[in-house]
């Protein structure tokens, strides 16, 4: 398979605790916990968007630019069909301030005092203005 230079997730296994917080937020289902560590088993599933970065409590996730296989949307589509019955990929995220779910309002990952959490777009002004 051809290789391209693009952004892709990098996982520092020394920092990863295997908590699994990064699994469900990945819209492509690219991250798995294998032997207690987060892994991207098939790199064509990772689009390098970096949504997982904000939820990692240890800073184990970063984006790097390097040679790898191209992102494959068709592979993601097929892969996601296999995740429907896997609970670790189907956790509904909630705003930690008001409890609204990702199905009702867009949520964004935030980090404060070393803790990662989610906040909905309606509650963001509360974070900014108190
Ligand atoms: S959120 Fe961070 S520490 Fe937890 S499994 Fe993912 S990479 Fe590892």
């Amino acid at each position: 398979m051809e290789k391209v230079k693009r952004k892709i997730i990098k996982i520092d296994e020394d920092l990863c605790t295997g908590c699994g917080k990064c699994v469900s937020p990945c819209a492509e289902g690219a991250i798995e916990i294998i032997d207690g560590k987060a892994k991207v088993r098939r790199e064509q599933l990772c689009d390098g968007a970096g949504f997982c970065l904000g939820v990692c409590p240890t800073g184990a996730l970063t984006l790097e630019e390097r040679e790898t296989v191209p992102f494959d949307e068709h592979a993601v589509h097929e892969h996601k069909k296999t995740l429907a019955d896997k609970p670790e990929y189907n956790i509904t995220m909630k705003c930690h301030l008001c409890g609204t779910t990702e199905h009702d309002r867009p949520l964004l990952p935030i980090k404060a005092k070393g803790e990662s959490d989610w906040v909905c777009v309606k509650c963001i002004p509360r974070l900014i203005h108190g």
Side-chain angles (χ1 to χ4, degrees):
M1 185 181 279
E2 68 166 313
K3 298 251 179 168
V4 296
K5 195 168 186 181
R6 68 180 180 95
K7 287 193 173 162
I8 190 161
I9 203 74
K10 181 180 176 186
I11 302 170
D12 184 332
E13 288 202 359
D14 291 336
L15 293 176
C16 177
T17 63
C19 71
K21 286 187 175 179
C22 56
V23 172
S24 186
C26 175
E28 290 74 28
I31 300 177
E32 295 177 61
I33 305 297
I34 301 170
D35 297 331
K37 299 287 178 182
K39 301 228 190 293
V40 176
R41 188 177 276 191
R42 292 163 57 205
E43 295 195 334
Q44 65 265 46
L45 299 177
C46 175
D47 66 358
F51 276 94
C52 53
L53 268 60
V55 299
C56 178
T58 67
L61 302 173
T62 53
L63 282 177
E64 68 175 355
E65 191 163 337
R66 64 176 163 81
E67 294 267 327
T68 185
V69 294
F71 173 64
D72 183 343
E73 222 168 300
H74 178 70
V76 169
H77 183 71
E78 292 303 307
H79 174 63
K80 286 175 87 171
K81 288 182 193 169
T82 70
L83 304 179
D85 59 347
K86 295 186 177 176
E88 66 271 31
Y89 289 94
N90 296 289
I91 298 166
T92 299
M93 302 301 164
K94 291 180 183 172
C95 173
H96 81 287
L97 293 175
C98 71
T100 296
T101 74
E102 62 184 298
H103 304 298
D104 301 318
R105 201 174 289 143
L107 304 182
L108 298 168
I110 60 154
K111 200 170 231 175
K113 297 177 183 167
E115 293 295 319
S116 299
D117 226 322
W118 295 89
V119 67
C120 74
V121 291
K122 194 172 177 186
C123 287
I124 284 176
R126 280 170 61 191
L127 287 179
I128 297 169
H129 304 295

